[in-house]
Amino acid sequence: GTAGESAPALYSRHLARRLGTAQSQPILVGAVVASQPLARLLKVVPLPVLQVGIGIALAWPVTAGVHVAMDPELFLLIFIPPLLFADAWWAPKREYRRLFRPILSLAFGLVFFTIFGFGLLLHWIVPAIPLGVAFALAAVLSPTDAVAVSSMVDKKSVPKTLLHILEGESLLNDASGLVMFRFATAAVLTGTFSFWQASAAFVVAVAGGIAAGVVALVIVSRSLKVLAKVGNIAPESQVLVLLLLPFAAYLIAESWHASGVLAAVVAGLLLGRSGTASQVGVSAHMLGTSLWTMLSFVFNGAIFVLLGLQLPTIIRAVPAEMTTLHWFWQPI
């Protein structure tokens, strides 16, 4: 930093550089807000698709466009745990228990089928991509995202049973896709693949993620009990303790080399049944509901706008090996 720059200012500047330039953040929020009335005017375009298009339009000019450099690990930590936690918290638990078998079969079986099928297809379309790399890319694309499902599916026209299956599957499939990605990448780098090691790592990722979610929930529940015994605690303090729950679950799981995404989902699913949410007062409950609603609105839109901001740079960086058949359609 510059001479005499304070530590908080230095940290803020470093964080802004990792998430993107500070000047682009108001533009990002403005794009999220503007996308809502535009989606109402353009009724045929789903809101996430429109937000991706806005991001592309903002970033397409090379010199005058908005260019944001993101740290993937920081992006995952800030955006994914609270969004998945909120989706799991508000999820219809009774319907999920009733549809547990089809949800589980899709969360694992469909992911593995997608990885195998799309990996072979990608290797056939672009032979320059090795099969192991194709499987790794397929593993990235295989888990459908809960945010995308809840945002893009028309809840009025899709049967509720099918909607519950899609949303439940999207909450649980990240563990299977993440483990397969890790082992596909390891197979590319080392040239070897062990089915038994992959199976053991998958069990560890799932079991560790579930355990981390439970541990984080116990810690937050005990913290709320301590605050209740103190008495006269501001509702904002209780809300902040609940706000830390998905991040704590994610970080604990990641430190155990387990699925942080699954940990945040488990914490959200068990929050109501554990009685943790009922430990806060009425004012804190109302404040927390408003806060989570606002965070979900901003973060949901920001994710798709950020995706659009990244696409022009990705398209310009397409290697020549992926344009041997056609310069435009093959990369698409």
Side-chain angles (χ1 to χ4, degrees):
T2 58
E5 186 175 18
S6 63
L10 180 62
Y11 176 76
S12 299
R13 190 161 58 86
H14 171 69
L15 184 63
R17 186 168 61 248
R18 296 184 72 187
L19 278 176
T21 60
Q23 293 83 357
S24 65
Q25 293 171 8
I27 298 177
L28 181 64
V29 176
V32 174
V33 175
S35 64
Q36 297 290 324
L38 284 177
R40 291 183 178 273
L41 292 175
L42 306 173
K43 297 181 180 180
V44 295
V45 181
L47 178 60
V49 176
L50 180 62
Q51 290 167 340
V52 172
I54 292 175
I56 294 175
L58 290 173
W60 193 263
V62 178
T63 56
V66 179
H67 305 289
V68 178
M70 293 190 303
D71 186 315
E73 293 185 2
L74 189 62
F75 174 83
L76 285 173
L77 174 62
I78 292 177
F79 284 90
I80 302 305
L83 286 177
L84 292 182
F85 173 82
D87 285 339
W89 185 7
W90 297 330
K93 314 296 190 306
R94 183 181 302 175
E95 286 76 4
Y96 282 7
R97 287 194 297 269
R98 181 172 59 87
L99 301 169
F100 181 73
R101 182 174 295 179
I103 287 175
L104 205 62
S105 64
L106 286 175
F108 299 109
L110 182 59
V111 168
F112 298 148
F113 175 81
T114 304
I115 293 173
F116 183 76
F118 183 73
L120 293 177
L121 177 63
L122 181 61
H123 179 66
W124 176 71
I125 294 176
V126 188
I129 299 180
L131 190 59
V133 176
F135 283 142
L137 178 58
V140 173
L141 299 176
S142 58
T144 53
D145 180 61
V147 176
V149 171
S150 60
S151 301
M152 296 187 69
V153 174
D154 186 1
K155 298 181 180 181
K156 296 181 180 179
S157 60
V158 176
K160 288 187 177 180
T161 300
L162 179 58
L163 182 63
H164 294 328
I165 292 175
L166 292 175
E167 291 179 341
E169 181 265 341
S170 62
L171 287 173
L172 300 177
N173 59 17
D174 289 274
S176 53
L178 179 62
V179 172
M180 292 305 297
F181 169 72
R182 288 177 177 173
F183 274 87
T185 306
V188 172
L189 296 177
T190 62
T192 59
F193 176 78
S194 172
F195 174 78
W196 298 111
Q197 288 183 358
S199 301
F202 177 76
V203 173
V204 170
V206 174
I210 294 174
V214 174
V215 169
L217 192 60
V218 171
I219 294 174
V220 168
S221 179
R222 297 289 176 85
S223 302
L224 288 174
K225 289 181 179 179
V226 171
L227 290 177
K229 290 181 180 180
V230 173
N232 295 326
I233 298 298
E236 291 82 0
S237 300
Q238 296 176 321
V239 172
L240 286 177
V241 172
L242 282 178
L243 184 63
L244 291 175
L245 176 54
F247 300 102
Y250 183 90
L251 291 174
I252 291 173
E254 290 296 315
S255 66
W256 293 351
H257 302 286
S259 173
V261 170
L262 187 59
V265 170
V266 169
L269 289 174
L270 298 180
L271 181 64
R273 293 182 62 85
S274 64
T276 303
S278 61
Q279 297 178 18
V280 301
V282 177
S283 299
H285 181 75
M286 296 176 61
L287 181 62
T289 302
S290 301
L291 177 62
W292 281 109
T293 303
M294 185 190 68
L295 285 179
S296 297
F297 168 75
V298 176
F299 280 14
N300 275 330
I303 283 180
F304 293 108
V305 175
L306 283 170
L307 174 60
L309 291 176
Q310 303 301 305
L311 282 178
T313 302
I314 295 173
I315 293 173
R316 294 187 184 106
V318 170
E321 291 81 3
M322 295 191 65
T323 58
T324 54
L325 299 180
H326 196 278
W327 69 273
F328 181 73
W329 291 113
Q330 191 177 13
I332 295 294

